Amino acid sequence: SLSFLKTGFSPTSIMETYLYFDIASFGIPSYAVVNWVKVTLAIENDPTSSLSISLYKLTSNFDETGGSKVSWTNKSTFNASSIDDVNVVSGATAVEFNSNGLKTLIQGIVDLSETNYGLYIKQTDPSIMDVVSFYSRWASEANRPKIEINYSK
């Protein structure tokens, strides 16, 4: 159980983040219309400079804890086009993803036209040696990754 999720590049490592929100457990009816979606990640350790990160739709399952857990040699696949891009600046306390692409993905998960495999976050520029750390689901409730979905019936 890791308290932090890291994304970025260091001289010796590449760090990427996988997220999963169980949208089906929210009880949103499949006929609902999603008005907006926001994913918020509280920052534990901000980058020393400006860092661009992108959010992607996963296209296969990832295993967080089992015998085939996600690793460099056992990575889940993701859609090549990002669904949101944000800049994380030094001193930031949170990152918010809230694009139309994210709304479209969640609408598809709600109306069952998309499979919910989760989300993938990576730094977009490998020439920048910097890392941002987010709190994970094992952090205090106030700092855990959150998804907000506003919808109409």
Side-chain angles (χ1 to χ4, degrees):
S1 61
L2 298 173
S3 296
F4 309 114
L5 305 167
K6 296 182 179 190
T7 299
F9 295 96
S10 75
T12 59
S13 300
I14 301 171
M15 290 152 271
E16 300 165 336
T17 296
Y18 289 79
L19 296 171
Y20 182 83
F21 297 100
D22 186 5
I23 306 300
S25 71
F26 294 6
I28 302 171
S30 62
Y31 57 83
V33 175
V34 175
N35 300 314
W36 56 263
V37 177
K38 179 169 63 172
V39 170
T40 305
L41 303 174
I43 295 175
E44 181 271 333
N45 191 17
D46 61 322
T48 57
S49 60
S50 181
L51 192 64
S52 294
I53 59 174
S54 295
L55 182 71
Y56 297 85
K57 167 190 153 184
L58 285 174
T59 55
S60 65
N61 284 322
F62 74 96
D63 185 354
E64 185 177 23
T65 58
S68 60
K69 69 181 177 182
V70 69
S71 68
W72 238 188
T73 56
N74 185 32
K75 293 171 67 170
S76 298
T77 56
F78 61 95
N79 200 350
S81 298
S82 66
I83 56 175
D84 204 353
D85 306 290
V86 298
N87 229 8
V88 184
V89 295
S90 183
T93 58
V95 168
E96 289 184 358
F97 294 100
N98 58 10
S99 69
N100 280 330
L102 179 58
K103 181 182 101 166
T104 300
L105 172 62
I106 300 305
Q107 178 67 63
I109 292 169
V110 166
D111 67 26
L112 307 177
S113 64
E114 292 272 1
T115 301
N116 183 9
Y117 293 115
L119 301 167
Y120 168 72
I121 302 170
K122 71 174 189 169
Q123 182 182 338
T124 56
D125 186 352
S127 69
I128 298 174
M129 294 291 131
D130 209 346
V131 175
V132 59
S133 298
F134 305 110
Y135 288 99
S136 76
R137 68 182 177 134
W138 290 285
S140 67
E141 189 171 345
N143 288 326
R144 291 179 191 152
K146 293 175 182 55
I147 186 166
E148 296 175 67
I149 304 171
N150 178 280
Y151 65 92
S152 306
K153 292 184 179 180

